[in-house]
Amino acid sequence: MSRDPLVVGNVIGDVLDPFVKSATLRVIYNNKELTNGSELKPSAVENEPRVEIRGRDMRNLYTLVMVDPDAPSPSNPTEREHLHWLVTNIPETKNTSFGNEIVCYESPRPTAGIHRFVFVLFRQSIRETIYAPGWRQNFNTREFAALYNLGDPVAAMFFNCQRENGCGGRRCV
């Protein structure tokens, strides 16, 4: 049985197919490094995180996608996947501020249940112009990667988030 947090959290399956990790992705909110499956409140993720990338070749460029596969609610994800952030042409050993922000960061604000927010990193084969989709809801990471020939992800991370006074989708008493 797999102990991979991406499998346990159903990120592999709902958002991604199995892949081989070949880069390091560090996501840092308010000077705290994210670990897979972390529980964060909306107030902790209000501002875009610092994202650092380490791979095997200093000449590589990367694309970062952040999605919510549980929009508008985990029990009825009709807007799966909601696109929260898209940054391209990020140089290796740098952070997202050195890339091209195609879709600006939208802070997570789940209204019902516990949502997963997934960061997916792709290695680009070339510097490329990537266009912003015309909408954020019903984004599809797999189709996006296929459209721009990005191949399999090289890294991914996720965190869980619910309303500040959330109670996991159950009625608060």
Side-chain angles (χ1 to χ4, degrees):
M1 183 173 163
S2 176
R3 297 258 181 236
D4 181 341
L6 297 172
V7 173
V8 173
N10 290 322
V11 170
I12 301 293
D14 287 349
V15 179
L16 302 172
D17 296 322
F19 68 94
V20 175
K21 181 181 174 187
S22 60
T24 300
L25 175 64
R26 293 182 67 216
V27 179
I28 302 152
Y29 278 105
N30 304 316
N31 296 318
K32 291 183 184 166
E33 188 169 347
L34 186 71
T35 58
N36 267 315
S38 296
E39 301 278 340
L40 299 173
K41 295 291 186 187
S43 59
V45 295
E46 189 172 336
N47 298 314
E48 73 182 50
R50 177 179 173 89
V51 177
E52 299 173 351
I53 299 162
R54 299 270 187 273
R56 293 182 285 207
D57 184 339
M58 301 283 274
R59 296 168 296 186
N60 285 325
L61 295 172
Y62 294 86
T63 292
L64 179 74
V65 173
M66 178 186 175
V67 295
D68 173 1
D70 301 314
S73 74
S75 60
N76 189 24
T78 57
E79 295 178 11
R80 172 180 291 172
E81 303 159 22
H82 186 90
L83 179 62
H84 278 264
W85 201 22
L86 175 58
V87 184
T88 65
N89 297 322
I90 306 164
E92 185 158 319
T93 73
K94 300 291 185 181
N95 62 58
T96 46
S97 65
F98 289 88
N100 297 337
E101 188 175 61
I102 306 300
V103 175
C104 65
Y105 182 80
E106 180 181 298
S107 59
R109 289 193 181 90
T111 55
I114 300 171
H115 290 236
R116 297 164 294 165
F117 290 88
V118 183
F119 293 91
V120 184
L121 187 67
F122 295 96
R123 187 175 289 118
Q124 296 172 215
S125 56
I126 58 170
R127 180 176 292 273
E128 174 171 22
T129 301
I130 292 179
Y131 298 96
W135 57 87
R136 287 181 184 256
Q137 70 276 10
N138 301 120
F139 180 82
N140 186 300
T141 302
R142 290 177 180 103
E143 290 176 5
F144 172 79
L147 177 66
Y148 288 102
N149 298 310
L150 294 172
D152 290 337
V154 295
M157 295 198 77
F158 81 103
F159 66 90
N160 295 306
C161 187
Q162 62 180 315
R163 289 189 342 252
E164 291 293 328
N165 58 353
C167 52
R170 296 174 293 281
R171 292 198 181 273
C172 297
V173 186

